[in-house]
Amino acid sequence: MLNLIKKEIRLCLHPTAFIFLLFAVLVFVPNYPYEVIFFFSCLSVFFSCMMARENGDISFTCTLPVKKEQIPLAKISVIFGLQCTILLLVGIIGAIKGVVLPAEQYVNQAGISANLVLVGNGAILLGIFNLIFFPCYFKKTDKIGAPFIIGAIIIFLLIGVFIVLRWATPLYSITLNGLNSENTGAKLAALAIGIVVYVVLTAASCKLSIKNFQKVDL
């Protein structure tokens, strides 16, 4: 299994998978919908799967002495690591922003501030994308466009929902917005909910992907 993960990292990851991690610094852009940062992580998954398809990676991997169910598990495990990295980076850089900038410049007019709640929102977005994309991808590994488009549409709709909540509900506009030092308990609860949702959805995605891939005749 470890060798499969190494193979995924060395042969299948598109360069954008690492480049898009740097997009976490977009939290310093004033009045920007910061949840869009997590869409770029989804886009890197699409590029990586497309590169794997063009290189015939799935067929090649199936010739290796590995169990078939390990193939989707290895790929999703690598993506899981990348997604956790972008969540961590957004959290760290957002905290740095709260320290170096005045409080009034920390407020985001285009959505939630770069705080712990943003990380929780991002975790939900990534978990939903995983649940949509990977089971469809491992059902037909040569069909990448449709699962990604569906996932992208859902992601942007949810980003729109988060932006509306930021302005339409006191919970988001007052309690969950602003610096991490304000209403810290509520922000930690929102972060915890986001992480739990992410873990549950990603685990379900992995289970469905393995089940679908077992039925694929290569």
Side-chain angles (χ1 to χ4, degrees):
M1 183 64 187
L2 182 59
N3 288 330
L4 266 182
I5 292 177
K6 290 180 180 178
K7 188 271 298 179
E8 287 290 329
I9 295 174
R10 293 175 180 175
L11 300 180
C12 297
L13 281 185
H14 194 271
T16 56
F18 303 102
I19 294 172
F20 287 158
L21 292 177
L22 302 177
F23 281 27
V25 299
L26 288 175
V27 296
F28 273 97
V29 177
N31 303 324
Y32 182 80
Y34 297 135
E35 284 91 353
V36 174
I37 295 170
F38 303 104
F39 166 75
F40 290 109
S41 181
C42 301
L43 186 59
S44 70
V45 173
F46 169 74
F47 287 146
S48 296
C49 290
M50 183 171 61
M51 186 173 73
R53 181 190 65 184
E54 300 307 316
N55 292 333
D57 175 75
I58 295 293
S59 299
F60 163 73
T61 307
C62 286
T63 65
L64 300 176
V66 297
K67 295 180 179 179
K68 196 173 182 181
E69 62 266 21
Q70 290 180 329
I71 296 174
L73 182 59
K75 186 175 288 293
I76 295 175
S77 295
V78 172
I79 299 303
F80 177 82
L82 288 171
Q83 291 175 342
C84 288
T85 301
I86 190 64
L87 289 169
L88 181 62
L89 287 174
V90 168
I92 292 174
I93 297 175
I96 293 173
K97 178 184 178 181
V99 172
V100 301
L101 292 183
E104 60 272 13
Q105 294 184 26
Y106 187 78
V107 176
N108 180 18
Q109 301 298 330
I112 200 74
S113 299
N115 56 24
L116 295 174
V117 181
L118 172 66
V119 179
N121 289 351
I124 293 173
L125 293 173
L126 293 175
I128 290 174
F129 177 81
N130 291 345
L131 186 62
I132 295 171
F133 180 81
F134 285 111
C136 294
Y137 169 69
F138 282 105
K139 184 180 293 185
K140 294 182 179 179
T141 55
D142 60 332
K143 306 294 184 182
I144 305 172
F148 174 74
I149 290 173
I150 295 171
I153 291 172
I154 298 299
I155 290 299
F156 276 105
L157 287 175
L158 287 173
I159 290 174
V161 170
F162 285 136
I163 292 174
V164 170
L165 288 174
R166 155 71 173 90
W167 290 104
T169 65
L171 175 63
Y172 264 79
S173 61
I174 300 175
T175 306
L176 299 180
N177 200 29
L179 295 166
N180 288 324
S181 57
E182 303 168 350
N183 302 308
T184 305
K187 290 181 172 65
L188 286 172
L191 173 63
I193 292 172
I195 291 175
V196 169
V197 170
Y198 173 73
V199 171
V200 170
L201 293 182
T202 302
S205 169
C206 190
K207 185 175 182 180
L208 290 172
S209 297
I210 292 173
K211 181 179 178 181
N212 290 343
F213 193 62
Q214 291 281 20
K215 300 176 182 178
V216 175
D217 185 6
L218 296 172

